[in-house]
Amino acid sequence: MSVSTCPSEPLAEDAGANGLDAIDRAIILATQAGLPLVPDPWGAVGKPLGLAGEEVRARLQRMQQSGVIRRIAAVPNHYRLGYVANGMTVWDVDDAHIERLGREVAAIPGVSHCYRRPRHLPEWPYNLFVMLHGKSQAEVERQAEALRERLGEACRDHRILYSSRILKKTGLRLARRTGPPR
């Protein structure tokens, strides 16, 4: 698993703007390469820091609630799992229906990403982006056809943009300090 972070502003060097203290910073540094795959990952992270696992978990939850950390989630390598056809489907959906349909599509098992994006007319009419994964392009195309049926008359057009390479997936990376913590 990884800790995915998305601060709204650059992180301060001290507890200042986002409330990070030296312990929070140490937890982020200890988890930025991923959580250990052990029965008690929070305890494993906390032990070298002199913290109980429950405190690590509570601090991560607080950082998540404050917006410093966006989410804590598994980040699978789809290719290693056999899902070699990865298609970002882009949809031109009637704006009057996109909120409702977007929520419905996001709830479909197998949809890993679903979000609304602005159109860039006339070249780019697509406003709903949905990532689909399959073991073949035919499987992704079947999933896309099922989505097309669910979107109904609100959908005017769509395309499937297949991944051509794997991009490195990482979250926030803090620079390691030299010298004593502040």
Side-chain angles (χ1 to χ4, degrees):
M1 281 206 267
S2 76
V3 176
S4 175
T5 60
C6 182
S8 57
E9 297 179 17
L11 289 174
E13 285 299 311
D14 58 7
N18 1 22
L20 287 181
D21 62 18
I23 295 170
D24 290 338
R25 186 177 171 81
I27 291 170
I28 290 173
L29 286 169
T31 59
Q32 67 185 8
L35 293 174
L37 297 175
V38 297
D40 179 17
W42 316 118
V45 168
K47 188 174 183 176
L49 303 175
L51 302 172
E54 186 55 40
E55 182 171 353
V56 170
R57 193 164 67 87
R59 282 177 170 267
L60 285 167
Q61 285 176 329
R62 183 181 44 80
M63 287 186 271
Q64 188 174 6
Q65 290 166 349
S66 71
V68 171
I69 294 175
R70 183 186 314 163
R71 64 189 172 133
I72 300 172
V75 181
N77 180 326
H78 295 95
Y79 288 87
R80 292 179 94 183
L81 296 173
Y83 293 90
V84 295
N86 302 289
M88 175 59 74
T89 59
V90 293
W91 305 84
D92 177 6
V93 177
D94 185 332
D95 290 324
H97 303 283
I98 194 166
E99 291 297 324
R100 175 183 56 82
L101 291 170
R103 278 194 273 288
E104 287 179 20
V105 169
I108 296 171
V111 170
S112 64
H113 299 75
C114 178
Y115 43 92
R116 183 179 189 176
R117 289 288 184 250
R119 304 172 194 275
H120 293 281
L121 298 172
E123 296 85 12
W124 192 256
Y126 309 107
N127 59 343
L128 182 66
F129 289 47
V130 180
M131 191 70 190
L132 300 174
H133 305 280
K135 295 190 178 201
S136 68
Q137 285 190 357
E139 184 178 345
V140 171
E141 288 165 12
R142 283 191 298 275
Q143 293 173 27
E145 184 52 38
L147 277 180
R148 173 70 184 90
E149 289 174 19
R150 174 169 248 157
L151 294 171
E153 292 182 19
C155 179
R156 295 179 284 250
D157 191 16
H158 79 279
R159 296 283 180 265
I160 303 174
L161 311 171
Y162 288 100
S163 299
S164 59
R165 62 188 170 124
I166 300 173
L167 300 176
K168 183 177 178 184
K169 298 177 184 181
T170 62
L172 172 69
R173 297 292 184 251
L174 295 179
R176 293 194 185 269
R177 290 187 177 145
T178 57
R182 295 183 209 178

